[in-house]
Amino acid sequence: MRKKEVLALLNEAKNHLLNELLPFWTKRMKDEKYGGFITHFDENGKDTGEDEKSLIAQARSVYTLSSAHRAGYGTGELAELAKWGVDFMLEKMWDRENGGFYWMLDRKGNVKEKKKILYGHCFAIYCLSEYSLATGDQRGIEYAEKIFDLIQIHCTDTRFGGYFEMFENDWTLCGPGPLGGDRKTLDVHMHLMEAFTTLYECSQKELHQRKLLEDIELLMSKMLHPEFKTGIPQFFANWEIAPQIKFDIIWGWDRFTEDGEKNNATDNTCYGHNAELAWLLNHALEILGENSEKYENVFKKIFDHTVDNGIDHTYGGVFVEGPHSGGVYDREKEFWQQAEVMIGTLDAWLHFKEEKYWNAYKNIHRFVFDKVINKKVGEWYPLLTRKGKPIWTHMSHSWKINYHTVRAMIQSINRLNKISDLL
Amino acid sequence: MRKKEVLALLNEAKNHLLNELLPFWTKRMKDEKYGGFITHFDENGKDTGEDEKSLIAQARSVYTLSSAHRAGYGTGELAELAKWGVDFMLEKMWDRENGGFYWMLDRKGNVKEKKKILYGHCFAIYCLSEYSLATGDQRGIEYAEKIFDLIQIHCTDTRFGGYFEMFENDWTLCGPGPLGGDRKTLDVHMHLMEAFTTLYECSQKELHQRKLLEDIELLMSKMLHPEFKTGIPQFFANWEIAPQIKFDIIWGWDRFTEDGEKNNATDNTCYGHNAELAWLLNHALEILGENSEKYENVFKKIFDHTVDNGIDHTYGGVFVEGPHSGGVYDREKEFWQQAEVMIGTLDAWLHFKEEKYWNAYKNIHRFVFDKVINKKVGEWYPLLTRKGKPIWTHMSHSWKINYHTVRAMIQSINRLNKISDLL
């Protein structure tokens, strides 16, 4: 592993972030007419006109802009644009009667879906805390704390621990099954860790630290496979593993069978989530000032499972998912899994200094830069065949936005700098 | 069991409540000078001058007065006096900075102990909800809901379920051991059930119903002995049984060894708590409109354990505590255990119609009226020898107030009326 090789990849990443990704967004996302952000772009970067403003896409955009500003990019315009997004969220998405954010508005700011969804509120806490850390504007942390309090009041399960996830407009718990009221997911509990980490980083409050630690312990003890330490996607309230089903409220375009079940619904783990969980955990421990030693075994098992099973040595990149014990079910390539495993494999190398993690990073980096990035416009294709041919070609919609792509570049650049310094 | 016998006991109870107990309080509790209630009286009913106003004693007094008014006693003066107490609680005990009630004031209303103690907040929710139900004054339910929210934000354990109980002034969790921050108690989780029942009765909110049901499931699955269904007093956060220790913050005069441990610290169950838990559970199910069938086994085991082990057939009354498997450790007689087992044995008879429960009630009733009531003034002695000789002789202090005695009479009268109607 030569320094020159590291620097070459670093430069490629910097160039992509500064000259392609960030400009893609800054020149087309601002909705001058109705406020907030336009988040629907086709393969040519053209606004598709879809009449949606989702909590996820608005919040993730605020995160992206704030985090890029805090990382030192731009000359202030990213912070300005983040403020533009926060203004819209607080003025149009906030439910003044019940507290919390609506799930979906139209472009003008009219409410399309009032349900209160914990997944969306994770990103609201995450982005608003990052926004205050980046800009000093105290509205961010004020609302992040408000949401944290609402979550503690309405979502915790005081019987079995953890959080319920799907609520009606007034925070009444939704019904069971596809309504989601009887399930707990890895996805939400992992994004709570991410959100509480940045919340605590900003607030420094004992309460936020305590709830972050509780969530980490829960993830470790309940939501990972006891032997393989791979993530288990869905549970019933009592932590029995639940067969993975499609919920009525979605935040992605996951592939399910026609009856709403996953193939291999009870033995399924996702490489992108596993690597994301590991690096987010590592980051949480850093912010907490906790020793990561007791988690080394988890890091090693997760990173090895990801690298040993998830990497496509023939065509490059990361597969979607497979069984806990090893092997692959789904060999297509999703954009966000490439992004998260890039960061994860760099963390793995920094932790264990084993060449195989560096090779895995290089593999994915190459696949992303050669196949996933749509060079015409500078954003990533959302879904590709195993060989790297685009299947879905939109650059953005309510669930596919800038959070994974920009974060992967910012976080990879940080880590590549660290690695380069060590060589 | 003859109707005449039931009516005789009923009349004895009514007479005590109306002509002794309630007048004891109404004629001496109002602190005209500083607001709120005077709560320290000696054997002769004379104010001892102790310079304390505890959250427990103020809240329990508001409960007592409100519940007696709601049950139809008095001609409005009890509601007026309850309002006097609520005014003091909201004006002097409420922490405007951090939310929640201070644990201890002096008579003038200066703060003596700022810690936020969940046990006290259970009674605050209980009394303020009862106060709104009794009087219609919406300040009660407004503050009861505020406290509920604060508890959900600060006290829940999202890792293992249940609630932490001891907090600093700003709701930072207290340290371990005698500081109490690493323990969970039956006492608090039972009084949460009591509080959430009346809160839900008043608010009719799904959230309060949901958290009440979660607490009931927790009590049933974690806090009772799996075989005997007797209550286990103390746990660590992960529900391992903890040896019973004395906390720095106390709310009673329990007898501990000099090093702060109980004798038989890990095999100890309390008859008064067990019977209280059973009748409070029965009441909660009524308010929830839940079928009590699935709990019949718990009711039967608790009532049988209480009656088979706790009743003193030689000298009358209820012992203090004993091992889960049966037998007795402590044969003294505490006032509140008599009160709670009176209500419990009447519930047991109404449930199972077995003569032994009626006989147990009669036994305790006789002991209370012949030995426990201090006939000079009309309140109960707090602690007596097995034979019924007073050991402690004060009529009231910060932890011994009117809640058990007045409630035992109101609740027993209700049940004796029901029983008499059935005969």
Side-chain angles (χ1 to χ4, degrees), chain A residues 154 156 158 162 211 214 221, chain B residues 154 156 158-159 162 210-211 214:
Chain A
H154 296 285
T156 65
T158 55
K211 298 286 178 173
E214 287 173 11
S221 62
Chain B
H154 295 286
T156 66
T158 56
R159 166 69 184 90
R210 174 150 53 92
K211 299 286 178 174
E214 287 172 11

Side-chain angles (χ1 to χ4, degrees), chain A residues 183-203:
Chain A
R183 310 281 168 130
K184 294 171 180 167
T185 69
L186 175 68
D187 206 4
V188 162
H189 288 74
M190 181 182 81
H191 286 293
L192 282 171
M193 172 171 74
E194 176 187 54
F196 291 176
T197 300
T198 306
L199 175 65
Y200 173 60
E201 185 180 2
C202 188
S203 79

Side-chain angles (χ1 to χ4, degrees), chain B residues 229-247:
Chain B
K229 302 299 174 193
T230 39
I232 301 168
Q234 287 185 24
F235 299 83
F236 293 111
N238 67 359
W239 301 111
E240 256 179 62
I241 294 173
Q244 250 185 298
I245 56 167
K246 187 176 177 181
F247 297 120

Side-chain angles (χ1 to χ4, degrees), chain A residues 155-195:
Chain A
C155 311
T156 65
D157 179 356
T158 55
R159 166 69 184 87
F160 292 106
Y163 297 82
F164 292 110
E165 304 181 2
M166 306 276 200
F167 298 84
E168 305 297 343
N169 181 42
D170 65 354
W171 293 97
T172 302
L173 185 60
C174 286
L179 298 170
D182 63 342
R183 310 281 168 130
K184 294 171 180 167
T185 69
L186 175 68
D187 206 4
V188 162
H189 288 74
M190 181 182 81
H191 286 293
L192 282 171
M193 172 171 74
E194 176 187 54

